[in-house]
Amino acid sequence: MNADRDTRRLILKSARDLIYSRSYSEVGVAAICERAGIKKGSFYHFFPSKRDLTLAVIDEFFVELKQQIFEQAFATDLPPLQRLLRLVELGYLFQKEIAQTLGQTLGCPFGNLAAEMSTQDEPIRQKVERVFEMMEGRLAETLQAAEAHGDIKDVDIPATAQAMLAYIEGIMLMAKTRNDPQVIRQLGPAMAEIRIRKTV
Amino acid sequence: MNADRDTRRLILKSARDLIYSRSYSEVGVAAICERAGIKKGSFYHFFPSKRDLTLAVIDEFFVELKQQIFEQAFATDLPPLQRLLRLVELGYLFQKEIAQTLGQTLGCPFGNLAAEMSTQDEPIRQKVERVFEMMEGRLAETLQAAEAHGDIKDVDIPATAQAMLAYIEGIMLMAKTRNDPQVIRQLGPAMAEIRIRKTV
């Protein structure tokens, strides 16, 4: 049972690394098996298809980023709006570390999949949409705390959370396009100032 | 010679439509030839490779969007900051028409390619980076006009133009992920309020 769990984790990790650094379409089951050092028959024991594996990769990646970035970013030791700045800084550090290791800036794994796959695979599109909704939820909670704290008012919180996430995704995409994580540090802090006003 | 020019245009148009609605990797030369109704040998008479064709598609698409969106958006009949709002509205209308025709929101063709290909194909990454620089140039000119007009001050114009483009790209990606062009109309106008301040 433990060996099975280890093999499953190894497949997930191999797929995560390959798809994140290339793309969904460019990474086949054969390449994932080769990276994981397993046989194709073993792969299909764990995942019925590359799509099913990718849905699991998205879940795992969200857990990873929650632990590595979101929990620290949104910790309540700082005032709410400063947590947003910490989120941007942690996103920058995450991308910088990748760039130093791989020589490439990979951007947001969810945004990458959304851009490539939204028109081509409905379950993947829906899964990324749900991840974005969870991220918006964390941003919205932070904005509610900022409102309670008296830092913002008359703000449409759900729309502003969406706009902030859109900006983060846009900056991640720009950093990937320029292959330069510094873009995130330079442009990112403006995220905390985005407001969509309540329409009366 | 005219027949050659027509065939070349047909290949470009077929590749544009297929790659934009799917992705670079999912569209092969065979599919492009089938759509264009030509033989593979004919394809290679015009383009040495799918990558070379894609570089030409990016150029053509930029000309198309310049004519359909940018020229109208940035026309000087409106005050500068209102031109930015018109840009967002025209972007929304462009995506809405696509969604009504295809049932899918395709997002930004350059952003899609950047997300999929930046780590995988250096000439494509560089080409999209140059397109983004041209778009930032138009935004920067508009911000300069706004400054001359007295509408903004103490703004780092090149950085703000970059941030505005990042926000546009993020919103296009969100619209694609949700398969809903309304996202652009709802969140887009906040683009005109983004500012990166000059650091003294």
Side-chain angles (χ1 to χ4, degrees):
Chain A
M1 289 303 276
N2 277 348
D4 258 20
R5 207 173 51 197
D6 290 349
T7 306
R8 190 176 185 279
R9 290 213 60 75
L10 190 59
I11 296 171
L12 277 167
K13 174 79 169 74
S14 302
R16 172 212 181 278
D17 292 350
L18 288 172
I19 294 172
Y20 187 27
S21 64
R22 298 183 201 169
S23 66
Y24 179 86
S25 295
E26 282 298 327
V27 176
V29 170
I32 295 165
C33 291
E34 195 190 325
R35 173 96 157 210
I38 59 156
K39 296 222 162 61
K40 263 203 177 180
S42 179
F43 178 95
Y44 290 108
H45 171 67
F46 292 99
F47 299 99
S49 68
K50 184 174 81 165
R51 174 212 273 162
D52 289 283
L53 166 59
T54 302
L55 296 174
V57 164
I58 296 169
D59 281 332
E60 289 284 313
F61 222 136
F62 186 66
V63 170
E64 180 187 332
L65 292 182
K66 206 155 68 174
Q67 289 168 350
Q68 280 203 37
I69 296 184
F70 306 150
E71 279 175 16
Q72 193 186 337
F74 292 117
T76 55
D77 58 318
L78 285 183
L81 295 179
Q82 287 184 43
R83 294 173 213 159
L84 299 177
L85 298 176
R86 182 162 58 186
L87 175 69
V88 169
E89 178 66 12
L90 290 171
Y92 159 71
L93 293 172
F94 185 82
Q95 294 293 324
K96 192 184 71 160
E97 195 180 316
I98 292 168
Q100 282 172 342
T101 310
L102 302 181
Q104 293 194 308
T105 309
L106 302 187
C108 172
F110 313 121
N112 294 346
L113 278 169
E116 183 190 356
M117 299 307 297
S118 289
T119 59
Q120 302 195 91
D121 191 297
E122 183 61 11
I124 292 177
R125 187 195 70 72
Q126 286 178 10
K127 171 69 84 174
V128 176
E129 190 179 14
R130 274 196 297 277
V131 165
F132 282 163
E133 282 165 5
M134 286 189 284
M135 291 165 74
E136 283 167 23
R138 297 300 294 262
L139 292 165
E141 281 169 29
T142 308
L143 290 168
Q144 275 150 8
E147 189 176 57
H149 202 253
D151 295 332
I152 60 171
K153 63 174 188 170
D154 301 327
V155 166
D156 180 336
I157 286 178
T160 301
Q162 279 183 39
M164 286 179 166
L165 180 63
Y167 187 65
I168 294 170
E169 289 299 322
I171 279 177
M172 288 289 165
L173 181 58
M174 287 296 145
K176 181 173 186 174
T177 309
R178 300 223 165 86
N179 193 22
D180 182 5
Q182 286 294 336
V183 171
I184 302 163
R185 193 169 240 179
Q186 193 199 5
L187 306 181
M191 185 266 279
E193 292 170 34
I194 294 173
R195 305 283 181 269
I196 312 275
R197 311 268 158 220
K198 267 184 196 154
T199 46
V200 214
Chain B
M1 289 304 276
N2 277 348
D4 259 19
R5 207 172 52 196
D6 290 349
T7 306
R8 190 176 185 280
R9 292 213 59 76
L10 190 58
I11 296 171
L12 277 167
K13 174 79 169 75
S14 302
R16 173 213 181 278
D17 292 350
L18 287 172
I19 293 171
Y20 188 27
S21 63
R22 298 184 202 168
S23 65
Y24 179 86
S25 295
E26 282 297 328
V27 176
V29 170
I32 295 164
C33 291
E34 195 190 325
R35 173 96 157 212
I38 61 155
K39 296 221 161 62
K40 264 203 178 180
S42 179
F43 177 95
Y44 290 108
H45 172 66
F46 292 99
F47 298 98
S49 68
K50 183 174 83 165
R51 173 212 275 163
D52 289 283
L53 166 59
T54 302
L55 295 174
V57 164
I58 295 169
D59 281 330
E60 289 284 313
F61 222 135
F62 186 66
V63 170
E64 180 188 333
L65 292 182
K66 206 155 67 173
Q67 289 167 350
Q68 280 204 38
I69 296 185
F70 306 149
E71 279 176 15
Q72 193 186 337
F74 292 116
T76 54
D77 59 317
L78 285 183
L81 295 179
Q82 287 183 42
R83 295 173 213 159
L84 299 177
L85 299 175
R86 181 162 59 187
L87 175 68
V88 170
E89 178 66 12
L90 290 171
Y92 159 71
L93 293 172
F94 185 82
Q95 294 294 324
K96 191 183 74 161
E97 195 180 317
I98 292 168
Q100 283 171 344
T101 310
L102 302 181
Q104 293 193 309
T105 309
L106 302 188
C108 172
F110 313 121
N112 295 345
L113 278 170
E116 183 189 357
M117 298 307 295
S118 289
T119 59
Q120 302 195 91
D121 191 296
E122 184 60 13
I124 292 177
R125 185 194 70 72
Q126 287 179 11
K127 172 69 86 174
V128 175
E129 189 178 15
R130 274 196 296 277
V131 165
F132 283 164
E133 281 165 5
M134 287 189 283
M135 292 165 75
E136 284 167 22
R138 297 302 294 261
L139 291 166
E141 281 169 29
T142 308
L143 290 168
Q144 274 149 9
E147 189 176 56
H149 202 253
D151 295 332
I152 60 172
K153 64 173 189 172
D154 302 327
V155 166
D156 180 335
I157 286 178
T160 301
Q162 281 184 36
M164 287 178 166
L165 180 62
Y167 188 65
I168 293 170
E169 289 299 322
I171 280 176
M172 287 289 165
L173 181 57
M174 288 294 146
K176 181 173 186 173
T177 310
R178 301 224 163 86
N179 194 20
D180 182 5
Q182 285 295 335
V183 171
I184 303 162
R185 193 169 239 179
Q186 193 199 4
L187 306 181
M191 186 267 280
E193 294 171 33
I194 293 173
R195 303 284 181 270
I196 312 273
R197 311 270 157 222
K198 267 185 197 154
T199 46
V200 213

